[in-house]
Amino acid sequence: MSVLKLFHKHPELNTASILLVETERQHQDKLAEAILAAQRSFNVNVHLADSLPLPTKNEANRPRIDLVVFIVNHFNSHSLELTKSYLQHLDVMYFLGRLCFLVSDARSAKSDRDILHAVREMAAQYSSPLLFTELQTEQGLATAADRLLVFTKVSAGFVPGVSSLFLNTLTSCSHPMESSPTKLSDTD
Amino acid sequence: MDVFQKLNTASQKLGQAVKINYWTPADPTSNNEESYKYMFRLKHQLAKQCEDMKIRLKIDEDSNFLNPTSEAKLDITEALTELETARNQHQKTTLALHRAQVSSTISEKVVKEDKQTEAIKETVNHTLRLYSQILNLQEEGNKLKSQLREVRKERLTLKKDALMNMEEIRKVSKMKEKKVQSMKSEVLKQGQEYLEKYLNIAALTENVFQGLILGSNVNWATDPHLREIVLQLEKNFSV
């Protein structure tokens, strides 16, 4: 089973690479553009994929991936299942802070509360950060890109003294609570 | 002198570079390949990346990484809970800090009599009005709740009384029925006995009178009274 390994390639000078994985390819392109347009002091390579494992024929040309971002669609459960299966193809070292889950438009009416809950559970299980973003607007895209760049800076080692595991302890998702929302009416 | 000047400038630059060595904040403008800042930043980056790789190597050496012993597991869980508390603490303090910042800026703006002061004052007054409304409504709600509770209590007592009364009524009616039945049977029996007795007496006396009349050879057909007595036997007494 081909696994995306972290330390098998040399890092390039002043360059970081992000891998955006999304099963339905809705927001990847816009987010990639926003990342490239953001203000930064290092070079960024953004790779797009819709499934793992990545095809082996490009193996040689691909640089070392510093951050893997899974964009999960919480409007149907299909995407969540696929994402869980993709996680098997990642090297263990990615789970120590070089992995991030991203959810867009969590406030919309179409979202399924159970699936959102399940996504949070998954993020908490793998102790990875879960970002809630708004990828429909320009401002939202820019904000999401900035947040992702902070993660990439740390995981690529550009910030001395802060390792990716340190950032992970601050940003990892916690388990959502079990209770259902309490009704506001008084019980008689 | 030229050489010394060159040496002077070079040493000054070196001194500055050493000061900068502690960490250069990255800004996009200073990506000039030649500048010292860039060089030092690259150096820090490479050092950090080497550290990460060393950690990875260390994991391979440490056999306990993938299968921690039970004591290690306890340590791990302890460490995780400590981590959670530290994180929550950090988040709380950040929130408090933000709140303090916001309130200080608001108070500054209010003092400064800016364009936004009016808006701020309006919102604050509106908020206060809403709070007082909320308190009033809560009080009313509490009063209504207590009234409701009183009514329910009364209803409960009334129900209990009603149930008790029903029970009593049922008992009393049962007793009455029993009595009536027993009385009926008693009275009936006695009445029946008496009836039979007197019927027999009446029949006897009638038969005696008939015998008398017949035996005395009196013409009973002419006298209506005698006739009555003789023919009375034909009337059936239903017993």
Side-chain angles (χ1 to χ4, degrees):
Chain A
M1 189 162 67
S2 60
V3 170
L4 186 65
K5 292 200 191 292
L6 178 59
F7 285 115
H8 278 214
K9 300 198 182 163
H10 286 296
E12 288 163 27
L13 212 53
N14 210 28
T15 311
S17 300
I18 309 179
L19 176 66
L20 297 177
V21 182
E22 185 180 15
T23 47
E24 273 137 40
R25 288 191 177 274
Q26 276 176 338
H27 306 294
Q28 273 179 341
D29 305 317
K30 293 182 284 183
L31 190 55
E33 278 173 30
I35 290 172
L36 291 172
Q39 241 204 15
R40 50 200 155 70
S41 62
F42 51 93
N43 303 327
V44 168
N45 295 330
V46 181
H47 292 261
L48 306 176
D50 64 348
S51 69
L52 286 178
L54 301 176
T56 48
K57 51 185 184 171
N58 292 338
E59 191 72 39
N61 301 336
R62 210 180 296 133
R64 174 176 104 151
I65 305 281
D66 292 308
L67 179 70
V68 179
V69 181
F70 283 101
I71 304 179
V72 186
N73 186 5
H74 59 97
F75 298 135
N76 50 32
S77 59
H78 187 58
S79 150
L80 180 62
E81 304 292 327
L82 282 174
T83 313
K84 281 190 190 167
S85 66
Y86 296 158
L87 286 171
Q88 297 169 0
H89 296 277
L90 279 184
D91 186 26
V92 149
M93 290 303 291
Y94 277 109
F95 288 95
L96 296 173
R98 291 184 169 85
L99 173 63
C100 175
F101 293 100
L102 197 114
V103 163
S104 170
D105 295 328
R107 285 183 288 195
S108 91
K110 279 190 295 174
S111 85
D112 193 342
R113 235 190 67 217
D114 296 325
I115 296 178
L116 208 53
H117 192 88
V119 173
R120 266 194 81 176
E121 287 274 358
M122 178 175 71
Q125 190 187 1
Y126 293 108
S127 65
S128 307
L130 173 63
L131 297 184
F132 289 98
T133 60
E134 191 90 21
L135 296 182
Q136 311 279 8
T137 61
E138 289 280 331
Q139 186 61 39
L141 278 171
T143 318
D146 279 333
R147 289 169 84 179
L148 285 179
L149 279 175
V150 169
F151 281 107
T152 45
K153 253 201 284 188
V154 170
S155 50
F158 294 165
V159 182
V162 181
S163 81
S164 56
L165 198 53
F166 288 167
L167 190 63
N168 189 32
T169 58
L170 277 180
T171 52
S172 67
C173 188
S174 52
H175 280 282
M177 298 221 289
E178 286 294 330
S179 65
S180 60
T182 55
K183 299 207 178 81
L184 287 178
S185 66
D186 256 331
T187 54
D188 279 340
Chain B
M1 287 308 285
D2 201 15
V3 171
F4 282 125
Q5 271 186 357
K6 273 193 196 165
L7 193 58
N8 201 2
T9 48
S11 59
Q12 272 182 3
K13 274 192 194 167
L14 195 61
Q16 273 187 6
V18 167
K19 273 195 236 166
I20 292 166
N21 190 23
Y22 268 99
W23 182 43
T24 57
D27 49 334
T29 56
S30 72
N31 253 8
N32 181 12
E33 296 269 338
E34 293 289 324
S35 80
Y36 290 109
K37 281 193 196 175
Y38 183 60
M39 295 288 197
F40 277 115
R41 242 175 348 97
L42 284 186
K43 175 199 159 214
H44 280 296
Q45 282 176 14
L46 288 173
K48 186 70 175 51
Q49 284 168 350
C50 284
E51 273 181 37
D52 283 341
M53 289 196 239
K54 271 188 210 163
I55 291 174
R56 177 70 180 87
L57 288 175
K58 206 170 158 197
I59 287 172
D60 274 337
E61 289 170 13
D62 183 10
S63 56
N64 282 337
F65 181 66
L66 288 176
N67 301 323
T69 59
S70 54
E71 304 144 351
K73 275 188 185 159
L74 279 175
D75 287 338
I76 287 172
T77 45
E78 262 186 42
L80 281 174
T81 47
E82 269 187 50
L83 198 70
E84 276 296 317
T85 47
R87 221 179 80 166
N88 289 333
Q89 195 65 32
H90 168 77
Q91 280 177 348
K92 272 189 237 169
T93 45
T94 326
L95 276 178
L97 188 67
H98 286 166
R99 217 178 292 149
Q101 283 176 336
V102 166
S103 55
S104 72
T105 44
I106 286 181
S107 51
E108 272 175 28
K109 279 200 186 240
V110 166
V111 164
K112 214 167 70 168
E113 294 285 336
D114 219 353
K115 284 175 285 185
Q116 293 165 334
T117 313
E118 278 301 317
I120 291 174
K121 281 188 188 163
E122 262 306 308
T123 41
V124 167
N125 286 333
H126 185 60
T127 322
L128 285 172
R129 262 177 269 142
L130 283 174
Y131 275 141
S132 54
Q133 234 184 351
I134 288 173
L135 284 171
N136 286 340
L137 286 173
Q138 272 183 345
E139 269 197 46
E140 276 189 41
N142 284 339
K143 270 191 221 163
L144 286 172
K145 265 189 225 166
S146 57
Q147 277 183 6
L148 200 72
R149 236 178 287 147
E150 298 292 314
V151 165
R152 276 220 195 94
K153 268 192 219 169
E154 278 180 35
R155 214 171 73 175
L156 197 67
T157 51
L158 277 177
K159 241 193 202 174
K160 274 190 199 163
D161 287 343
L163 276 172
M164 275 183 3
N165 284 341
M166 290 275 291
E167 282 285 328
E168 279 190 34
I169 287 172
R170 230 178 280 150
K171 269 193 226 164
V172 165
S173 62
K174 260 191 204 168
M175 276 183 33
K176 214 166 140 190
E177 260 192 43
K178 268 192 218 165
K179 261 196 202 172
V180 161
Q181 277 218 352
S182 61
M183 264 184 41
K184 251 198 208 174
S185 55
E186 268 186 39
V187 166
L188 257 178
K189 271 188 212 159
Q190 277 210 342
Q192 274 187 342
E193 277 176 31
Y194 283 150
L195 192 62
E196 272 188 40
K197 205 165 98 179
Y198 284 119
L199 275 177
N200 287 339
I201 292 176
L204 260 177
T205 47
E206 259 182 34
N207 281 327
V208 164
F209 279 140
Q210 273 186 0
L212 271 176
I213 294 171
L214 287 175
S216 66
N217 288 331
V218 173
N219 197 0
W220 48 272
T222 52
D223 197 356
H225 291 290
L226 294 175
R227 199 166 148 172
E228 232 184 270
I229 294 174
V230 172
L231 295 176
Q232 207 167 25
L233 249 184
E234 307 209 341
K235 291 192 193 162
N236 289 331
F237 292 93
S238 58
V239 181

PDB file of all heavy atoms in Angstrom, chain A residues 171-184:
ATOM      1  N   THR A 171      -3.966  23.798  18.729  1.00  0.00           N
ATOM      2  CA  THR A 171      -5.057  23.930  17.770  1.00  0.00           C
ATOM      3  C   THR A 171      -5.847  22.660  17.554  1.00  0.00           C
ATOM      4  O   THR A 171      -6.825  22.682  16.838  1.00  0.00           O
ATOM      5  CB  THR A 171      -4.508  24.344  16.400  1.00  0.00           C
ATOM      6  OG1 THR A 171      -3.475  23.424  16.054  1.00  0.00           O
ATOM      7  CG2 THR A 171      -3.958  25.736  16.445  1.00  0.00           C
ATOM      8  N   SER A 172      -5.455  21.552  18.163  1.00  0.00           N
ATOM      9  CA  SER A 172      -6.151  20.312  17.840  1.00  0.00           C
ATOM     10  C   SER A 172      -7.584  20.373  18.321  1.00  0.00           C
ATOM     11  O   SER A 172      -7.898  21.031  19.304  1.00  0.00           O
ATOM     12  CB  SER A 172      -5.450  19.125  18.481  1.00  0.00           C
ATOM     13  OG  SER A 172      -5.578  19.203  19.869  1.00  0.00           O
ATOM     14  N   CYS A 173      -8.427  19.655  17.626  1.00  0.00           N
ATOM     15  CA  CYS A 173      -9.848  19.698  17.912  1.00  0.00           C
ATOM     16  C   CYS A 173     -10.141  18.839  19.128  1.00  0.00           C
ATOM     17  O   CYS A 173      -9.574  17.772  19.299  1.00  0.00           O
ATOM     18  CB  CYS A 173     -10.592  19.178  16.694  1.00  0.00           C
ATOM     19  SG  CYS A 173     -12.340  19.363  16.803  1.00  0.00           S
ATOM     20  N   SER A 174     -11.033  19.307  19.977  1.00  0.00           N
ATOM     21  CA  SER A 174     -11.415  18.519  21.144  1.00  0.00           C
ATOM     22  C   SER A 174     -12.708  17.776  20.845  1.00  0.00           C
ATOM     23  O   SER A 174     -13.471  18.175  19.977  1.00  0.00           O
ATOM     24  CB  SER A 174     -11.613  19.429  22.353  1.00  0.00           C
ATOM     25  OG  SER A 174     -12.474  20.466  22.013  1.00  0.00           O
ATOM     26  N   HIS A 175     -12.961  16.718  21.600  1.00  0.00           N
ATOM     27  CA  HIS A 175     -14.152  15.918  21.359  1.00  0.00           C
ATOM     28  C   HIS A 175     -15.405  16.722  21.599  1.00  0.00           C
ATOM     29  O   HIS A 175     -15.519  17.377  22.619  1.00  0.00           O
ATOM     30  CB  HIS A 175     -14.163  14.713  22.307  1.00  0.00           C
ATOM     31  CG  HIS A 175     -13.281  13.612  21.827  1.00  0.00           C
ATOM     32  ND1 HIS A 175     -13.654  12.751  20.819  1.00  0.00           N
ATOM     33  CD2 HIS A 175     -12.042  13.253  22.190  1.00  0.00           C
ATOM     34  CE1 HIS A 175     -12.672  11.889  20.607  1.00  0.00           C
ATOM     35  NE2 HIS A 175     -11.686  12.160  21.422  1.00  0.00           N
ATOM     36  N   PRO A 176     -16.361  16.659  20.689  1.00  0.00           N
ATOM     37  CA  PRO A 176     -17.601  17.391  20.941  1.00  0.00           C
ATOM     38  C   PRO A 176     -18.376  16.718  22.056  1.00  0.00           C
ATOM     39  O   PRO A 176     -18.230  15.528  22.305  1.00  0.00           O
ATOM     40  CB  PRO A 176     -18.353  17.281  19.615  1.00  0.00           C
ATOM     41  CG  PRO A 176     -17.778  16.101  18.954  1.00  0.00           C
ATOM     42  CD  PRO A 176     -16.363  15.994  19.397  1.00  0.00           C
ATOM     43  N   MET A 177     -19.215  17.504  22.763  1.00  0.00           N
ATOM     44  CA  MET A 177     -19.918  16.965  23.916  1.00  0.00           C
ATOM     45  C   MET A 177     -21.050  16.079  23.474  1.00  0.00           C
ATOM     46  O   MET A 177     -21.606  16.235  22.415  1.00  0.00           O
ATOM     47  CB  MET A 177     -20.470  18.106  24.765  1.00  0.00           C
ATOM     48  CG  MET A 177     -19.362  18.971  25.295  1.00  0.00           C
ATOM     49  SD  MET A 177     -19.676  19.438  26.973  1.00  0.00           S
ATOM     50  CE  MET A 177     -21.003  20.580  26.748  1.00  0.00           C
ATOM     51  N   GLU A 178     -21.459  15.159  24.360  1.00  0.00           N
ATOM     52  CA  GLU A 178     -22.424  14.143  23.967  1.00  0.00           C
ATOM     53  C   GLU A 178     -23.842  14.672  23.966  1.00  0.00           C
ATOM     54  O   GLU A 178     -24.668  14.207  23.233  1.00  0.00           O
ATOM     55  CB  GLU A 178     -22.365  12.974  24.962  1.00  0.00           C
ATOM     56  CG  GLU A 178     -21.145  12.123  24.802  1.00  0.00           C
ATOM     57  CD  GLU A 178     -21.128  11.399  23.475  1.00  0.00           C
ATOM     58  OE1 GLU A 178     -22.214  11.087  22.964  1.00  0.00           O
ATOM     59  OE2 GLU A 178     -20.033  11.195  22.954  1.00  0.00           O
ATOM     60  N   SER A 179     -24.136  15.676  24.829  1.00  0.00           N
ATOM     61  CA  SER A 179     -25.535  16.021  25.066  1.00  0.00           C
ATOM     62  C   SER A 179     -26.151  16.656  23.842  1.00  0.00           C
ATOM     63  O   SER A 179     -25.511  17.400  23.118  1.00  0.00           O
ATOM     64  CB  SER A 179     -25.632  16.990  26.229  1.00  0.00           C
ATOM     65  OG  SER A 179     -25.000  18.184  25.876  1.00  0.00           O
ATOM     66  N   SER A 180     -27.417  16.358  23.638  1.00  0.00           N
ATOM     67  CA  SER A 180     -28.158  17.019  22.568  1.00  0.00           C
ATOM     68  C   SER A 180     -28.522  18.418  23.042  1.00  0.00           C
ATOM     69  O   SER A 180     -28.570  18.666  24.241  1.00  0.00           O
ATOM     70  CB  SER A 180     -29.420  16.227  22.257  1.00  0.00           C
ATOM     71  OG  SER A 180     -30.216  16.148  23.413  1.00  0.00           O
ATOM     72  N   PRO A 181     -28.790  19.323  22.150  1.00  0.00           N
ATOM     73  CA  PRO A 181     -29.070  20.696  22.601  1.00  0.00           C
ATOM     74  C   PRO A 181     -30.306  20.734  23.476  1.00  0.00           C
ATOM     75  O   PRO A 181     -31.329  20.161  23.150  1.00  0.00           O
ATOM     76  CB  PRO A 181     -29.292  21.456  21.299  1.00  0.00           C
ATOM     77  CG  PRO A 181     -29.616  20.430  20.304  1.00  0.00           C
ATOM     78  CD  PRO A 181     -28.870  19.208  20.708  1.00  0.00           C
ATOM     79  N   THR A 182     -30.193  21.400  24.627  1.00  0.00           N
ATOM     80  CA  THR A 182     -31.321  21.428  25.568  1.00  0.00           C
ATOM     81  C   THR A 182     -32.411  22.339  25.036  1.00  0.00           C
ATOM     82  O   THR A 182     -32.147  23.387  24.462  1.00  0.00           O
ATOM     83  CB  THR A 182     -30.868  21.963  26.921  1.00  0.00           C
ATOM     84  OG1 THR A 182     -30.273  23.233  26.692  1.00  0.00           O
ATOM     85  CG2 THR A 182     -29.861  21.037  27.547  1.00  0.00           C
ATOM     86  N   LYS A 183     -33.649  21.923  25.239  1.00  0.00           N
ATOM     87  CA  LYS A 183     -34.755  22.729  24.747  1.00  0.00           C
ATOM     88  C   LYS A 183     -34.922  23.948  25.649  1.00  0.00           C
ATOM     89  O   LYS A 183     -34.682  23.886  26.838  1.00  0.00           O
ATOM     90  CB  LYS A 183     -36.037  21.897  24.770  1.00  0.00           C
ATOM     91  CG  LYS A 183     -35.956  20.671  23.892  1.00  0.00           C
ATOM     92  CD  LYS A 183     -37.332  20.286  23.424  1.00  0.00           C
ATOM     93  CE  LYS A 183     -37.239  19.107  22.511  1.00  0.00           C
ATOM     94  NZ  LYS A 183     -37.126  17.842  23.203  1.00  0.00           N
ATOM     95  N   LEU A 184     -35.377  25.031  25.042  1.00  0.00           N
ATOM     96  CA  LEU A 184     -35.456  26.262  25.832  1.00  0.00           C
ATOM     97  C   LEU A 184     -36.735  26.335  26.649  1.00  0.00           C
ATOM     98  O   LEU A 184     -36.841  27.113  27.567  1.00  0.00           O
ATOM     99  CB  LEU A 184     -35.406  27.470  24.906  1.00  0.00           C
ATOM    100  CG  LEU A 184     -34.031  27.717  24.308  1.00  0.00           C
ATOM    101  CD1 LEU A 184     -34.095  28.902  23.368  1.00  0.00           C
ATOM    102  CD2 LEU A 184     -33.046  28.014  25.410  1.00  0.00           C
TER     103      LEU A 184
END
